[in-house]
Amino acid sequence: MTVAEAAPFEGPLFSTQTAPQERIFPKLSSERFERLAARGRLRPVAAGEVLLEAGVPVTHLFLVKSGKLDVVRPTVMPGAERAERLVTSFEPGQFTGEASLLTGRRGLGRIRVAEPGEVFEIDREDLLSVIQTDSDLSEILMRAFILRRVELIAQRVGDVVVIGSIHCVGTLRVKEFLNRNGHPYNYVDLDEDPGSQEMIDRLGVGVDDVPVVVCRGRVLKNPTNQQIAEYLGFNESIDQTQVRDLVVVGAGPAGLAAAVYGSSEGLDVLVLETTAPGGQAGSSSKIENYLGFPTGISGAALAGRAYSQAQKFGAQVIIGKKAKKLACAHAPYEIEVDDGTRVTAKTVILATGAQYRKIAVENLPRFEGAGVYYAASPMEAELSRDQKVVVVGGGNSAGQAAVFLADYAQHLYVLCRGDFARSMSKYLIRRLDHAKITKKEHTEIIALEGGDHLERVTFRNNRTGEVTHCDCRNVFLMTGADPSTDWLDGCVSLDDKGFIKTGPALSADDLAGAGWPLERDPHLLETSRPGVFAVGDVRAGNIKRVASAVGEGSIAVSFVHQVLNE
């Protein structure tokens, strides 16, 4: 059966493999039920009544007092037989909702009354109030919402179908964008699915249109990430016109920490993120030296938890829009976004991180996304299964990627143009002593060869001159990054490498050049503009660790309060 032929009511799609049933679909005790019900209004519901339509922003939670509610997935593909499939049912004592309820985004399924009864209808704002003030209910609700979204992703229960090929750069980009933003989708592989040709013929698209994204009957041909975010309504519930206490630019660990601490302390916080929460850390396969996670945690999992935590406290996150310019002459500051809109803030935290550094090989752009990758997530790892792989870099990100990929690849070469001991943690260097891994110090790639996809890599020892050729289809570049500060256009003082100078690193000349107007010196993480802070990898003198980025994000918020009270 193809995704275009969803069968009606073959049984619930939830497998509950990710967690026990009682954690995903808890039944509230009478005391908890009454506490939650007190925040809503009781209303009768009739059989067949639709309480929420798929594709409409989720604004209410329904707490079932009597009767039964069904959640069904409508048909996604245009032209397919009008059918729907049961996702799950809610009975007395249970409540509807998943991650869309936290964000106010569009619902993925239709909620319809299966058996008449009564439900308590609770507004989203009242629900957030419960989550922020009632720790007992908060734990139950948040856990259920998160686990339900995890299960939706695992079961591919969503409103999107991606049609593409592993040989297409755009396909990898679209899948990564949806994966990292936690949006469930179904994938049709043009190279493997026997019904794919019939499908694209019916949709009226060709090979040049790949990747194709189908959502609620509309066909998007090779859409940008911004177009996908716009069509899925990622940001439509967010008011971009109001003046915010704090705007955070970038949703990596530092930016998310600032959002969590700022919103939890009562600030009106808006976050701007170009791609997806997590930053570079979000693409890390496993972080093993982050405090409190002795068995390690993936960057995506850490980012997902922080993102949910920020939403829990009321922070709003705009996805798929890039900060283009900072109007910094005076507060409140204005940040121009690449779609021409502006957001206004009393204070700003710059957490834009850094852009992946590229190697000096002539035809590198030709193979980006087609054999050359800047992240080692499970998606890229599957492309490397039983193949030779090259990982380039001498830092922890390269070591983490190599250890992770060793479970998939036939063999790995890890290339470092210097010594591993200079920049990689000792525990990771020991992990590289692996039967599948060959370490090569003082070695750099000098050539990439192939047709539509990378086929061969040549690297050279820069001390001995030894040249090695490797029939390899996948290269992972983990060679560091350059600060994302080009959009600031002289607003704040930078060091000679383009990183933002803050606090004690600012000289008298820096402050005079920026026209520092206050008698006090800049705060620890404050830039040469009052109320504008820099944290994480974009800051001069930063320590390239997730823990330090999180610490800086939280510390900056304490100074934000001081600025707002000046």
Side-chain angles (χ1 to χ4, degrees), residues 227-373:
Q227 288 171 331
I228 296 172
E230 180 180 357
Y231 192 71
L232 293 179
F234 278 9
N235 309 312
E236 63 187 1
S237 65
I238 299 176
D239 183 359
Q240 299 182 40
T241 63
Q242 68 187 74
V243 179
R244 307 281 179 160
D245 293 328
L246 170 63
V247 169
V248 181
V249 187
L256 288 173
V260 168
Y261 283 93
S263 57
S264 68
E265 294 170 9
L267 299 180
D268 181 7
V269 179
L270 178 68
V271 183
L272 296 175
E273 169 54 42
T274 305
T275 306
Q280 286 191 57
S283 62
S284 177
S285 55
K286 181 178 278 193
I287 303 169
E288 293 192 72
N289 58 352
Y290 188 66
L291 187 68
F293 293 91
T295 60
I297 183 171
S298 72
L302 186 64
R305 294 181 185 191
Y307 183 44
S308 296
Q309 200 171 10
Q311 293 169 330
K312 165 184 173 177
F313 291 117
Q316 294 183 310
V317 184
I318 292 179
I319 297 293
K321 293 190 178 182
K322 183 178 182 180
K324 183 179 178 181
K325 184 178 181 181
L326 174 62
C328 57
H330 55 79
Y333 299 107
E334 284 191 342
I335 300 169
E336 183 180 339
V337 186
D338 55 6
D339 64 356
T341 61
R342 290 172 177 258
V343 295
T344 308
K346 299 174 186 176
T347 61
V348 178
I349 291 181
L350 303 173
T352 47
Q355 300 170 331
Y356 294 110
R357 192 172 295 148
K358 301 186 178 184
I359 58 176
V361 177
E362 183 179 357
N363 55 355
L364 175 67
R366 174 181 168 187
F367 297 114
E368 289 179 318
V372 173
Y373 309 104

Side-chain angles (χ1 to χ4, degrees), residues 388-390 413 455-459 468-473:
K388 292 180 181 178
V389 171
V390 174
Y413 294 91
E455 297 172 7
R456 194 178 192 191
V457 179
T458 302
F459 40 90
T468 303
H469 302 286
C470 175
D471 292 331
C472 167
R473 292 178 57 84

Side-chain angles (χ1 to χ4, degrees), residues 55-131:
V56 174
V58 183
T59 57
H60 294 86
L61 174 146
F62 297 100
L63 176 62
V64 183
K65 180 180 180 182
S66 60
K68 180 181 177 183
L69 307 181
D70 281 343
V71 180
V72 297
R73 182 187 68 176
T75 301
V76 176
M77 299 293 289
E81 181 182 349
R82 303 301 296 175
E84 53 186 33
R85 185 169 183 183
L86 181 66
V87 177
T88 193
S89 297
F90 293 100
E91 298 182 343
Q94 296 183 311
F95 55 87
T96 65
E98 51 90 43
S100 297
L101 195 49
L102 295 175
T103 61
R105 292 181 184 173
R106 300 173 187 173
L108 300 176
R110 178 182 295 136
I111 301 178
R112 186 170 55 219
V113 180
E115 297 175 6
E118 292 181 309
V119 301
F120 286 94
E121 184 178 64
I122 303 172
D123 290 342
R124 178 174 172 271
E125 293 304 317
D126 289 328
L127 175 68
L128 289 176
S129 177
V130 171
I131 289 174

